[in-house]
Amino acid sequence: MKKYAVELAPEFEAELWEVCIALIRCVVIAGLSVDSARSAFQEKFSGIGARAGLSSAEIDLVCYGFKCWLLTHKDECARRWTQ
């Protein structure tokens, strides 16, 4: 996900990870669709990104990166978290 990365202060990065982990769990454990997770991520990250001073384009880029990462790794996460 590096090409979709932006610099965030540690407090915003911690908040971002909380959102990511919660939504990944919703997808792999509760069956939330990837598109629904991306929408929820965008809603939550828009606030984080705005407080962190990111532009709309940077926020959109990170949201797209989250969806790409989730599509690539959701099966792997499901195997780890459901064992």
Side-chain angles (χ1 to χ4, degrees), residues 9-77:
E11 64 271 17
F12 296 119
E13 191 171 316
E15 195 174 345
L16 169 63
W17 278 110
E18 287 177 20
V19 169
C20 288
I21 291 168
L23 288 171
I24 292 166
R25 287 182 188 265
C26 286
V27 169
V28 301
I29 295 172
L32 184 69
S33 74
V34 170
D35 287 332
S36 293
R38 186 210 186 275
S39 294
F41 179 85
Q42 185 163 15
E43 182 180 318
K44 293 186 182 294
F45 185 70
S46 291
I48 297 167
R51 289 192 322 275
L54 299 180
S55 69
S56 293
E58 289 171 315
I59 291 169
D60 289 344
L61 187 64
V62 172
C63 292
Y64 179 74
F66 175 75
K67 180 179 179 179
C68 291
W69 186 93
L70 194 51
L71 286 169
T72 303
H73 299 285
K74 70 178 181 170
D75 292 336
E76 178 184 337
C77 289

